[in-house]
Each structure stands twice: as structure tokens, then as C-alpha cells.
Amino acid sequence: MTDRRRTAPHRRSRTRRITPRAHWLLLCVLVVTLSAALLLQGYTHHMFRITSDNVTGPRGRAEAVPGRVTRAVPGRVTHGGPVIADAAGAPHTARPKAGTIALTFDDGPNPVWTPRILDVLRRNHVQATFFVVGTEVVDHPELVRRIVSDGHEIGIHTFTHPDLSRLAPWQRSLELRETQLAVAGAAGITTALLRPPYSSENDALNDADWSVLKQVGAAGYVTVLSTQDAEDWQRPGTDRIVANATPHGRAGQILLMHDGGGDRSQTVAALNTLIPRLKAQGFRFATVGAAVGMAGPVQPAGLGEHLQGMALVTVLQAGDWVVWLLGVLMFAAGVISVLRAVVMVFAARRHRRLRKGRRGRSWGPPVTERVSVIVPAYNESAGIEAAVRSLVASDHPVEIIVVDDGSTDGTADLVESLRLPGVRVIRQENAGKPAALNTGLAAASCDLVVMVDGDTVFEPDTVRTIVQPFADPRVGAVSGNAKVVNRGGLLGRWQHIEYVVGFNLDRRLFDLAECMPTVPGAVGAFRRRALLALGGVSDVTLAEDTDLTMALCRAGWRVVYEEHAVAWTEAPASLNALWRQRYRWCYGTLQAMWKHRGALIQRGAAGKLGRRGLVYLLLFQVLLPLLAPVVDVFAVYGLVFLDPLRITALWLAFLLLQLGMGLYAFRLDGERPGPLWSLPLQQFVYRQLMYLVVIQSVFTAVSGSRLRWQRMERYGSLRAPAGAEPSGDNRTAAPEQSEPYEAVTHSGPYAAVPGPGPYASQPDPELYPSHPAPWPHEAHPQPWPYVTPPRPAPHDITHEY
């Protein structure tokens, strides 16, 4: 074999050796930005709420505390007017002029009630003061502009309507500053008027309230309390509101009413009666500033403050939109996931019934013809003996072809030293798994071919079972049932669960839908002539098994799943090894999906693959995993700001759904359900690793970076089944070959595809350029006698198996 590194140096120069890093920075920025947006949105909308004025408990009058000489609240404030200025220095108060009523409205603006109140005020030619809540300003900035344009006065009522006396000083400042910016952004003004939530009259001030007034006074705010409460927040009825709001005497009043925080229909009705009645009694209406003779409490905002306010309003509105969108996506994802679970269980049940039914008991006449088993191997000395011995022990006649792809650990020498009947070893320079499979395919003498990885052990009846579906002439490939052999530890249990619940349930569904996208490399059977018609195994993707299966489906062949054909395979035993394996699988699947995207518009078997299989893979193996980080962030948001009991209940419901699927899948596979106890832990570690793999793979594909082949580390955990010696009727003697190493047509990978519909064109070879193989080793050391092969050290090499 020609050394690729010498004959094709130009390919190496075109190969992009880029390890993506920017996407992790981008992902972190997106997650942090989303978290910050949700934190801000959660604080502004859910940390505090607009509630009735009595929810913080009764506010008694300021009484002297026993043992104290003085009270914090000065007497001139307690017995003074409702408008308090310079509380931090020399506080002074003001009262409305006699016969003057200042209508004030809290908790707005509200999109329903504020416009109706404004209409009443306009009809009666009355100006009032609106103490607005910042979150409502952000949601309805156009109402603030209307309030200002109608000649009314604006005051602030904090951003989220908390009890300021129960907040830290920095939180108070934040509440006032954000509200001021919201007003500046919405209407281009600033205001010095403040009404603290849950405040009432002067003599109700206590020490905590006075500390708030001193802080806001130092910040330049004028506190506006009330002298008369209409108590419309209790919705006692229109007549009662009118009675509560009617002054006794001619003293000026600051009347407390509400345009937000609930149903204000009674307030609107009461105003229609109250204003004309009080005007008839000789009262006049004015804003707070005009009623006490203040000079310009509301001023135009500066350009910088206006721009900052607009930015704040925009950011918070965008946050509201993001939360709404996330809610819709979460709902859709939840519905789709539940439907998927129901469909998978239904499909698995139907698949089982069909296999047990009259049509499922037999695919046709028993298949007894000899089978070629191809074992591609690169540095597989840790498990190749167990794998080959298990194949020799098959109860079906086989020829076993081990293709050593330039191993450096004596894999080929080990297999030859076993001297097992019917086993051939073919050596070639390192060229990758597809090339090794094609070499074995060319050397095979049987029409039925089983491909098995070098880290996989078969049961004695696996080969016989997996080839029985070929009695149906429409079947071109059969997927076996791969099981994890090294199930120790959490990582092994989680992969075991994934194989049984995820992979096998999916394969039953794909079998029923006739859109099987992957026959696993660990255990799969094929018609040799179907593979030759495709041009052999293609190496243009890293998931050659998926690429090959999709090509067979598009060629019109039926691909089925035989769950009773069991093979035991080694799974990665470390997170790093698992990452590399799944990264290759996911990236290779994306390559195959893109390569076979033409199936979406084809008919027949190809159309089933495209519109069923590819759409399923895109939805559940690409899009939903990409959404998973957002789901986690949103779940934390729900626990902090929404109803934690509801969020926890939803999580437990989905966990129970997965547990139910797991129990059913384990029952179908004849597995003990013990490992399912680790399912909750799997959601916090394994799931995150899997969706990070998808993110990495998608970014790699989008950026056009080339992922190199990497070798999986072998652990030597495989053991040949008991009595793994050739049985008496197992005809594994060296087969007669009319012409060994029959040439495989390579006019182009999968270039000519017989069957219905044209085969999709191949991608540009520059998209996935070939990588050079490592320099061949001139000589290999002679192996020692192998009884139990030792565990080899990991090798940094190019190709993976």
C-alpha cells in the first residue's frame, strides 16, 4: 500500500487542523447574558408584586418605645403636612391649599384602567398626579407619554412595589434609580416626587419608615403621603369609595386612589360621581405640585439619562419577549418529548407483537448459508482474542476475516498465534476503518457479511439470529442489539441505560417506520452485493456505519432490527473517552445527514428515510439538545422566581416518565432494572455532557473544521463466552475461494445506487478532505504467548474503531 503522507502531501496542506474554541466563549457569553436577562426579569416581575396596601401588616401610629427618650420621627413631621422635603437635613412639610384636592393614583399605568381614568379626568378638565411603578412603565411606556401629554403630573412609586422599609439601602437606591430611568426613557422627563408603597398618613410613620424618608430625601426626592384614602383597593363598592373620598370640611386634601394593581372599575365609576359633586361643593382639583406650591417637580430629562432610560426599557421589554419565547419553547419541547415517549413505547410494543405474531416468527425459510464475518482491527490486542473466540464459537457456519489496519501492538500476531480454524488475518498499512472494511469485503467469499468491531463479543447464536431476516429478499441490512459489557460505576450504568432505553427503543421505532438510519458498527449484517453496488464503505464521513445505512435505505433496501442478535461491547470508562467517542458519532451523523439530505424530497424508501428518519434525528438529536442549556437556565429561573413546587413537580413528572420508559425498555431487553436508580443523577451530569457534545459538533460542522479520527482506549474487559471453542457442526474451515481479494468497484463511494430514485450527489471532496495516515512501522516485535492479553497503553494515533 502506498504511503499517503508521501504521495498526497497537497491534501495535508489543505486540511484544517483547527480546534474550535470561540464557540465555547460564545456559549458562555450567551448563557451569562441569558442568565442576566432572566435574573433582571425575574427580579423586576416576580421578586415583589403590586398587592393591596394592607399586605405588609397593620401600620400603627408612631408611638414612643418604652425606655427611649426620643423618637426617630420628628414631631413636626408627624403632625405636619403630607408632602415632606429635606428629610435628611432640616425636614419641613407642606399641606395643600384650602379647598384644593390633589387626586393621586398609585400602581399604574394599567392598560385597561389608566386610559379610562384619563378619559374621566379629561371630560371633567381635571389634572392629577400619577405615581407609577417602574415595571408597568416598561410594559406600557405609551401610557406614561399620554399622562404627560394630558397635562398630568408624574411621580414614582418604586420599580417593583416593595416595602422600602424592609430593603437594604442599596436596594432602595436601585428601586428609585431604575424607576427614574424608566420614566426618562418612556416620556423624556424626570420627577422629584416619590410615594413609598404601603405608605399612608404622617402619623403612621415609624422608625423604619423614617430611615427610608431620610435616605430618599438625601437623594433629592420629595415624599408625598396622603391625607385621605378612598380605600378603592378593597373594592367596597362605588358608593363607599365616594363616601371615603369626600372631604369633611374645607381643608386641602391629598386623596389616595389607584389606577393599577387590580380591577379598578369601581374607581372609574366613583370618579364619574365624585368629581362633579366636589366641584359643585366649591372644591378645585390640582396636581400635588400645584396644590402645595412646588416649583417644577417634573423636569425634562437630560440626553444621557433619556438614552439610558430607553436602553433600560428596551432591554426589559426584550427580556419579557425572551421569557415568553422560552416559555413557548419549553411547552413545545415538553409536549414533543411526551409524545415521543408515548410513540416510542407504542412502537416498541407493536414491534414486539409483530415479532411474536405469525408473520414475525419467521422471515421465510431458515438462512443456513455460510456468513463472512469481517473484524477491522487497529491496536485491539486487549480484546481481539475474546472477540475472535466468540465468533469461532458461533453455532452458524462462518468465515472470519480479521483485517489488521497497521496495528503497532501485535494484534495480527496475536490472532495468528491462536491458530483458530476458519480465521484469516489480512495485514494492511494503516488507512482507517472504512478501508479495512473494504479490504475484508473484497476478501469475503459469502453473500452475507457480518461486520463486528474488535472490542465486541458475540453470543453463540448471534450470527445465526442476525442473518435470519435475509430470508426476506427485500432486506439489505440488519442491526443487532449492542449491549454494554463494562457496566461498573455510574458512567457504565448511564451508558447501559442509554443503550437499552435510547438506542434500542429508537431502533424499534425506526424498524416500524422503515427508516433505520444506523446499523451499528459493533453488530450489523449486510448483503455483500448491496454493498458492492454502492461502491463499498465510504470514508467521507466519520460515521461510516450511518452513512452506509442511509445509502442502503436510499437504494431501496429494507433495514431491520433484530433485538435477539446480542453483542457485548466495551463502552468508554472515562468522561474524556466518552466525549471523544460521542463527539465523533455526533459529528459523523451530522455529516451523513447533510450528505443524504436529498432523501427529503425523494419517494419510496429514500423518502421514508428523509421525511421520517432525518427529521427525527434533526429534531431529537440536534435541535432539542441545542435547547438543553436554555432549559437548565430556565429551570433555575423557575425555582428562584416562579413557583418552586410547580417546577419541581414538573421535573419529577418528566423523571417518572423516563423511569417508566426505562422499566419497559429493560423488560423488553430482559435486563434487570437495578441500574435505573441512577437515572436522576444522569440528568445532572451525563445529559449535560451529551448536549455539550452536540453543541461542539454543530459548531465544528458549521465552521467547516475537520474532525480527526481518534482511537478509543481499550480496557480488556471483554471475555469470550464459556466454551468458546468451535462446535462440531460449525463449518469454519478455510473456505474455497475462486478468486481471493475480489476487487471492489470504487468509481466513487456510493456512486451508483440501484433501486428506486436517483442517489444524492456526493459532497464536495474539499468539504471533508482525507487525512494522511501515520508512517508505517517497518517491523513489529514478536508477541509473547498470549493467555490473557495485557492492557495496552493508550496510543495517540489517527484512526478510531
Side-chain angles (χ1 to χ4, degrees):
M1 181 175 290
T2 305
D3 185 353
R4 285 175 154 182
R5 295 180 70 175
R6 295 177 179 174
T7 59
H10 61 285
R11 289 190 174 185
R12 183 178 184 182
S13 64
R14 291 198 301 265
T15 300
R16 299 180 61 180
R17 301 285 187 177
I18 299 176
T19 302
R21 290 289 183 266
H23 63 292
W24 292 125
L25 177 61
L26 177 63
L27 176 63
C28 291
V29 170
L30 289 176
V31 170
V32 170
T33 302
L34 177 62
S35 301
L38 292 177
L39 180 63
L40 182 60
Q41 203 273 349
Y43 178 86
T44 57
H45 288 74
H46 302 289
M47 184 61 72
F48 307 102
R49 301 187 181 200
I50 299 175
T51 53
S52 299
D53 287 353
N54 64 343
V55 296
T56 59
R59 286 182 176 269
R61 312 230 175 232
E63 301 290 344
V65 178
R68 292 181 57 180
V69 178
T70 61
R71 292 197 311 266
V73 185
R76 59 180 177 275
V77 173
T78 302
H79 304 291
V83 179
I84 305 170
D86 199 16
H92 57 275
T93 66
R95 296 179 183 275
K97 300 172 185 178
T100 301
I101 296 178
L103 286 176
T104 63
F105 297 92
D106 289 4
D107 298 348
N110 180 275
V112 175
W113 307 116
T114 301
R116 297 185 184 184
I117 291 174
L118 289 173
D119 291 340
V120 174
L121 297 177
R122 176 181 292 179
R123 286 196 302 269
N124 290 276
H125 306 287
V126 170
Q127 273 72 49
T129 302
F130 289 80
F131 289 94
V132 296
V133 176
T135 54
E136 299 300 315
V137 172
V138 170
D139 291 340
H140 313 290
E142 72 286 351
L143 292 180
V144 181
R145 290 191 288 270
R146 180 181 172 184
I147 291 172
V148 174
S149 66
D150 283 359
H152 303 290
E153 197 171 57
I154 292 290
I156 65 174
H157 199 45
T158 70
F159 200 76
T160 61
H161 203 270
D163 184 351
L164 292 177
S165 65
R166 303 187 180 189
L167 298 185
W170 69 268
Q171 286 181 288
R172 301 170 187 169
S173 299
L174 179 64
E175 287 282 332
L176 302 182
R177 176 59 180 166
E178 297 306 295
T179 312
Q180 197 72 260
L181 283 178
V183 171
I189 62 171
T190 61
T191 178
L193 302 178
L194 164 69
R195 173 170 286 163
Y198 312 108
S199 62
S200 58
E201 301 175 4
N202 293 52
D203 58 359
L205 294 172
N206 58 29
D207 291 359
D209 296 329
W210 182 242
S211 70
V212 173
L213 266 61
K214 289 197 296 182
Q215 181 178 349
V216 300
Y221 287 97
V222 176
T223 301
V224 180
L225 302 179
S226 62
T227 60
Q228 194 157 354
D229 187 355
E231 297 185 4
D232 59 336
W233 50 270
Q234 297 190 59
R235 292 192 288 276
T238 301
D239 293 340
R240 173 52 56 185
I241 293 175
V242 171
N244 292 337
T246 301
H248 300 284
R250 302 298 298 175
Q253 304 291 336
I254 293 182
L255 180 59
L256 172 60
M257 303 185 82
H258 297 80
D259 66 326
D263 183 351
R264 299 299 174 230
S265 57
Q266 294 180 7
T267 303
V268 176
L271 286 171
N272 281 312
T273 302
L274 179 67
I275 294 176
R277 179 180 298 180
L278 292 180
K279 278 189 173 183
Q281 296 175 7
F283 286 95
R284 69 183 186 89
F285 293 88
T287 62
V288 169
V292 299
M294 290 182 63
V298 178
Q299 296 292 330
L303 178 61
E305 195 162 20
H306 180 53
L307 293 177
Q308 291 180 53
M310 292 178 62
L312 176 66
V313 171
T314 301
V315 168
L316 291 178
Q317 288 180 340
D320 292 342
W321 182 85
V322 168
V323 170
W324 174 84
L325 178 62
L326 290 180
V328 172
L329 291 176
M330 297 304 101
F331 178 78
V335 171
I336 291 174
S337 298
V338 171
L339 289 177
R340 178 198 184 195
V342 172
V343 170
M344 289 178 68
V345 171
F346 174 79
R349 184 177 179 85
R350 180 170 175 79
H351 187 271
R352 184 183 185 187
R353 287 181 175 179
L354 289 176
R355 289 290 185 267
K356 287 187 174 182
R358 179 178 299 178
R359 296 177 57 188
R361 282 199 298 266
S362 175
W363 294 90
V367 176
T368 58
E369 62 183 277
R370 188 174 52 191
V371 176
S372 297
V373 182
I374 302 173
V375 187
Y378 181 85
N379 286 355
E380 299 284 1
S381 61
I384 193 67
E385 179 177 353
V388 174
R389 286 189 181 278
S390 72
L391 295 173
V392 171
S394 296
D395 59 10
H396 191 90
V398 295
E399 66 166 352
I400 303 169
I401 303 171
V402 178
V403 182
D404 182 82
D405 190 42
S407 297
T408 60
D409 66 345
T411 297
D413 297 324
L414 169 58
V415 176
E416 289 177 343
S417 69
L418 299 176
R419 301 183 182 279
L420 296 173
V423 178
R424 283 188 292 160
V425 177
I426 301 176
R427 302 173 185 254
Q428 68 176 31
E429 294 182 355
N430 182 257
K433 185 177 181 180
L437 289 173
N438 284 329
T439 298
L441 189 62
S445 63
C446 306
D447 182 58
L448 300 182
V449 174
V450 172
M451 297 180 180
V452 53
D453 289 339
D455 62 343
T456 303
V457 168
F458 275 19
E459 298 283 355
D461 64 344
T462 299
V463 174
R464 173 174 52 82
T465 304
I466 200 172
V467 298
Q468 295 309 309
F470 289 114
D472 185 341
R474 300 172 301 170
V475 175
V478 183
S479 168
N481 186 349
K483 292 180 177 289
V484 175
V485 66
N486 50 332
R487 304 176 182 180
L490 280 177
L491 192 60
R493 289 189 181 94
W494 291 339
Q495 293 178 86
H496 172 44
I497 293 173
E498 184 181 28
Y499 271 67
V500 175
V501 180
F503 298 160
N504 289 347
L505 283 183
D506 275 346
R507 289 192 181 105
R508 288 180 170 92
L509 175 62
F510 290 139
D511 193 354
L512 282 180
E514 299 182 8
C515 60
M516 186 78 67
T518 304
V519 171
V523 51
F526 305 86
R527 290 191 190 272
R528 182 171 178 266
R529 57 187 174 89
L531 300 185
L532 294 179
L534 295 177
V537 182
S538 172
D539 63 353
V540 298
T541 74
L542 296 185
E544 78 290 330
D545 47 4
T546 300
D547 186 12
L548 182 62
T549 307
M550 290 182 178
L552 287 170
C553 288
R554 297 185 67 188
W557 291 101
R558 176 85 186 277
V559 181
V560 300
Y561 173 55
E562 179 49 72
E563 66 269 25
H564 298 297
V566 176
W568 300 89
T569 186
E570 274 191 332
S574 67
L575 288 176
N576 181 56
L578 178 64
W579 171 275
R580 288 187 286 113
Q581 182 199 63
R582 297 309 171 86
Y583 182 23
R584 180 177 65 86
W585 285 6
C586 184
Y587 183 76
T589 300
L590 290 175
Q591 288 178 307
M593 291 170 62
W594 180 255
K595 177 180 177 181
H596 296 283
R597 64 191 183 278
L600 289 168
I601 59 174
Q602 290 183 284
R603 297 182 178 180
K608 293 178 181 178
L609 170 69
R611 290 181 289 277
R612 298 176 186 177
L614 295 186
V615 170
Y616 184 92
L617 293 178
L618 178 65
L619 184 60
F620 292 107
Q621 294 192 19
V622 179
L623 296 182
L624 283 184
L626 288 177
L627 192 63
V630 179
V631 173
D632 291 344
V633 172
F634 197 72
V636 175
Y637 167 83
L639 290 173
V640 175
F641 295 111
L642 302 179
D643 185 356
L645 292 178
R646 181 182 177 187
I647 299 299
T648 303
L650 287 174
W651 183 80
L652 289 176
F654 275 100
L655 185 63
L656 288 175
L657 179 65
Q658 292 178 322
L659 180 61
M661 289 178 57
L663 290 171
Y664 186 65
F666 270 58
R667 179 183 175 186
L668 288 178
D669 263 29
E671 296 283 351
R672 295 181 178 179
L676 290 174
W677 70 263
S678 64
L679 194 59
L681 296 176
Q682 189 184 41
Q683 304 302 307
F684 295 102
V685 180
Y686 194 81
R687 174 176 162 272
Q688 281 73 11
L689 181 67
M690 292 301 102
Y691 72 59
L692 289 176
V693 165
V694 175
I695 293 172
Q696 172 87 345
S697 302
V698 170
F699 183 88
T700 304
V702 171
S703 66
S705 301
R706 170 68 175 177
L707 178 63
R708 297 186 305 166
W709 283 91
Q710 299 172 342
R711 181 185 182 276
M712 283 298 298
E713 183 179 352
R714 304 308 186 199
Y715 309 101
S717 57
L718 296 174
R719 294 292 182 270
E725 296 295 339
S727 57
D729 60 346
N730 188 357
R731 300 179 296 280
T732 57
E736 297 180 4
Q737 301 179 26
S738 56
E739 197 158 329
Y741 297 87
E742 177 184 350
V744 181
T745 306
H746 286 290
S747 58
Y750 310 162
V753 183
Y759 187 69
S761 59
Q762 303 302 310
D764 187 344
E766 291 298 326
L767 184 60
Y768 307 117
S770 299
H771 280 270
W775 291 94
H777 293 264
E778 295 181 359
H780 298 288
Q782 292 298 320
W784 55 86
Y786 288 91
V787 179
T788 301
R791 174 177 174 176
H795 293 275
D796 181 16
I797 54 175
T798 310
H799 299 288
E800 181 178 3
Y801 291 83

